Amino acid sequence: MGPLYLALLFPALGLAKEPLSHLPDFGSCKSSSLIGGDILGSEGGACLPGGGAILLEEANQTVLTPASWRFSKPCMENGKREFCIYSAPDFANGRGLMMLTTARRAGEVERSRIFREPEIYAEMTNLNAETSDRWRIEAVPGKGMGLIATRNLQVGDHIMSTTPSVMIDYDVFYELEPSQIHQMQGEGINYLPERHRNIFMNLSTHDGAEDHNSRVNKIILTNAFDIDNTGVVEKQEEGERESWYTVFPEISRMNHDCRPNADYYFDSETFTHNIHAVRPIAAGEEITVSYIDPVQARAERQQRLDTSWHFPCSCSLCAQNAHATAASDARIAQIEQLRRQFRDYEPSSQATPGMGELMVSLFEQERLWSSMYEAYTYAALEYNGAGEPWIASKYARLAIQHGLAAGGPKDSDVLAMQDLVRDPWAHWSWMLRTKRRMNWNSNVEA
C-alpha cells in the first residue's frame, strides 16, 4: 500500500461470492484505506520427524517443502489443491508454530525474514510473556479471565507481543469439508511443543466440546484473528487468498470493548501481534481491545459480535440509555458522511479544515481512541491542502503518535504523516484542495 493509502478498520466479511455454511464467521480486520477514491488520477488502487525436504506434486508442479517445516499427514484435498499440516517446533525460540496450507505457501513463509534471521526475537522485549510487570491475568466479573494493568500506562506504551499458535490458510475453508478441517486442526495442534500446546488448549470454547477435534475447532473459532497480509506471498494463484486465520493465545485473554484502551497490529517480519496502549490506562484497569470495527452504530456492533463471538456486549458504550445511544449513532453517521467528503478529491468536494476539526471532535466524543489516527490524518491533510503547513504538522504529529500504537512503524499512514512533517510543502497534499478547486496547474502532479 503506497503513501496515498491510509489504514482503516474494516470487518473481514466472507470472501466468497456465495455464503458457505461451513465457513467460520471471520473477525475484524485491520488496515485497508482511509482514502478510497482516486486522489491523483492514478489507476488501480507423510510425517518426517527430522524435518528436511519432501517433494510434493501440486498444481502439476514439483514443489520442494522447506527444511524448516515438519510436514505431517493427514493431507486433504478436494480435487484442486492439497493442504497439509506444517509445523516448525523451533520457531520463536522453541515456542513452535503450526500451519494448515499448501506446500508452495509453506515455502513462501519460510522465505520470510524471521525464518532467515531468527535472532530478531532476541531483540524483542516481553515476547510471548506469561507474566509481566505491566499486567496480570485475573478473573473479571462477567467476562471470565482478563488482563489487568499493574501500573499506569500512557499512549504508545508496549503491552505485549506474541507469535501465533496456529495459522490456517483461508483457502482451507473454501476448498475443504468441515470434517476434513476439524481432523487436520485436531491433529496439527499435537505438533506444537507441549508448553505452547497447553497454553492453546486452555483457551475458552465458550460452551464446551465433546471431543478433542471439536474442542480445537471451537477454540480456533472463538479466539482467531484475521491476518490480511503476511508479506510473503510472491505471486498468488488464481482464486488464492492472501489471508490467514490465526490464533495468538495470550492476546486472546484480552476482552472486548467497543471503545478499547489498547490496539494491535501484525508485524509481517517477526510474525508477531503487538499490543500498545491507545489512551492512558490506570493501574488496576482492565486492558481491552476491540474485536470488531469500532466505527459502527450500536445495532451493527451488537449484531457483529453476536454473529462472530456469540455474546451480547455490555461495555459502557453499549450499556448507555436510549438517548445517549441515539446521540452516539448520530455521531457515527456524521463520521461516515465526513469520510465520503474527505475521500473525494474532485473540485465539488465540501471537505475543509473545519470539517477536519469536526472529525477530530467526533472521534473524541465517541472515545474512538484506537482509531484517532484516522481523524488526525484527515485533519492534517485538509490543513495542508488549504495551505496551512504548521497546523497540518500538528495533526500529523498526533497521527504519528497514535498510528505507531495502532498500526506500527511500517504502517503506510505513519510513513505518509512522517513525510508530511518532514516537508509539508513537498507533500502530495500541499495546496491540493485549492489547486483542484481553482483549477491551478491541473496538469501538474501534486
Side-chain angles (χ1 to χ4, degrees):
M1 188 157 40
L4 304 185
Y5 297 93
L6 312 167
L8 176 63
L9 293 175
F10 284 113
L13 304 175
L15 299 176
K17 293 181 179 179
E18 298 294 334
L20 302 177
S21 59
H22 67 275
L23 290 179
D25 192 336
F26 302 116
S28 63
C29 164
K30 298 183 68 172
S31 287
S32 186
S33 66
L34 284 181
I35 300 176
D38 179 5
I39 301 172
L40 299 180
S42 59
E43 295 181 358
C47 180
L48 190 66
I54 300 175
L55 291 177
L56 298 176
E57 294 297 325
E58 182 188 331
N60 299 320
Q61 293 182 344
T62 300
V63 179
L64 184 65
T65 299
S68 296
W69 295 107
R70 295 185 182 180
F71 158 67
S72 309
K73 287 188 175 179
C75 292
M76 302 290 181
E77 56 88 23
N78 69 347
K80 296 181 180 179
R81 286 174 289 177
E82 186 175 56
F83 297 89
C84 298
I85 300 167
Y86 294 90
S87 62
D90 296 328
F91 181 78
N93 301 329
R95 174 175 163 91
L97 169 66
M98 187 274 284
M99 302 180 75
L100 303 184
T101 189
T102 62
R104 187 180 69 82
R105 293 199 71 184
E108 289 169 351
V109 169
E110 193 206 28
R111 288 193 290 276
S112 62
R113 185 184 177 196
I114 194 57
F115 278 85
R116 292 182 284 107
E117 303 175 35
E119 62 274 11
I120 295 174
Y121 284 135
E123 304 169 3
M124 299 183 66
T125 58
N126 209 21
L127 175 69
N128 297 323
E130 297 181 32
T131 60
S132 172
D133 63 351
R134 301 189 174 198
W135 47 263
R136 65 179 182 271
I137 298 174
E138 68 176 44
V140 178
K143 295 184 177 181
M145 304 304 290
L147 241 64
I148 306 298
T150 55
R151 71 185 197 193
N152 294 339
L153 301 172
Q154 301 301 320
V155 175
D157 282 359
H158 180 242
I159 296 172
M160 68 164 63
S161 294
T162 72
T163 57
S165 300
V166 177
M167 297 182 69
I168 303 176
D169 190 329
Y170 257 61
D171 289 336
V172 165
F173 299 109
Y174 291 85
E175 298 187 24
L176 300 183
E177 295 299 320
S179 59
Q180 295 176 305
I181 298 170
H182 296 174
Q183 182 181 354
M184 292 180 72
Q185 290 175 161
E187 178 68 19
I189 291 302
N190 295 329
Y191 290 92
L192 288 176
E194 182 179 6
R195 189 175 189 85
H196 191 179
R197 183 170 68 250
N198 290 339
I199 293 172
F200 174 90
M201 294 301 297
N202 282 330
L203 292 175
S204 171
T205 62
H206 273 317
D207 55 1
E210 60 275 11
D211 56 43
H212 173 74
N213 286 358
S214 176
R215 180 173 183 80
V216 170
N217 182 60
K218 287 188 175 183
I219 287 174
I220 291 172
L221 290 177
T222 301
N223 297 281
F225 289 82
D226 283 350
I227 299 301
D228 259 359
N229 183 358
T230 60
V232 296
V233 172
E234 296 173 352
K235 183 179 180 181
Q236 289 180 251
E237 296 179 350
E238 184 177 357
E240 189 176 45
R241 297 165 183 86
E242 198 170 346
S243 302
W244 299 83
Y245 203 51
T246 310
V247 176
F248 299 86
E250 291 82 0
I251 291 177
S252 295
R253 293 295 187 191
M254 302 178 71
N255 288 313
H256 166 80
D257 196 298
C258 290
R259 296 296 178 259
N261 52 30
D263 201 7
Y264 53 87
Y265 66 86
F266 180 73
D267 183 348
S268 61
E269 288 194 353
T270 61
F271 274 49
T272 55
H273 235 7
N274 302 276
I275 305 287
H276 293 80
V278 294
R279 68 158 172 81
I281 303 173
E285 184 179 357
E286 184 182 10
I287 302 172
T288 58
V289 296
S290 179
Y291 296 177
I292 59 173
D293 173 7
V295 189
Q296 300 182 78
R298 182 183 184 276
E300 295 169 330
R301 298 194 311 271
Q302 292 276 314
Q303 180 181 19
R304 185 66 184 151
L305 289 165
D306 180 63
T307 300
S308 299
W309 289 275
H310 312 295
F311 70 84
C313 184
S314 59
C315 73
S316 63
L317 188 71
C318 288
Q320 292 181 130
N321 62 38
H323 297 294
T325 295
S328 172
D329 288 352
R331 288 191 290 267
I332 295 296
Q334 189 168 32
I335 286 172
E336 294 292 354
Q337 293 173 350
L338 291 173
R339 279 174 168 172
R340 288 192 290 272
Q341 295 298 324
F342 292 138
R343 293 169 178 171
D344 180 2
Y345 274 80
E346 293 300 316
S348 58
S349 173
Q350 299 174 14
T352 65
M355 291 170 66
E357 294 283 356
L358 175 59
M359 192 71 149
V360 170
S361 177
L362 289 170
F363 271 62
E364 290 173 345
Q365 292 173 61
E366 273 297 292
R367 296 176 286 142
L368 287 164
W369 310 118
S370 61
S371 304
M372 279 303 301
Y373 65 91
E374 176 187 349
Y376 291 141
T377 296
Y378 281 135
L381 293 175
E382 291 308 318
Y383 272 110
N384 214 43
E388 293 281 358
W390 305 119
I391 303 178
S393 295
K394 179 188 80 170
Y395 282 115
R397 291 287 186 192
L398 288 166
I400 293 167
Q401 180 191 27
H402 285 261
L404 286 170
K410 295 185 285 292
D411 183 80
S412 60
D413 300 352
V414 172
L415 298 176
M417 291 297 97
Q418 288 173 339
D419 285 344
L420 192 154
V421 166
R422 276 192 291 268
D423 191 345
W425 302 274
H427 193 262
W428 61 263
S429 63
W430 172 246
M431 294 290 286
L432 184 58
R433 290 290 187 195
T434 301
K435 290 175 182 178
R436 290 288 172 92
R437 287 168 180 160
M438 303 300 292
N439 199 29
W440 294 348
N441 300 321
S442 57
N443 296 321
V444 178
E445 291 269 337

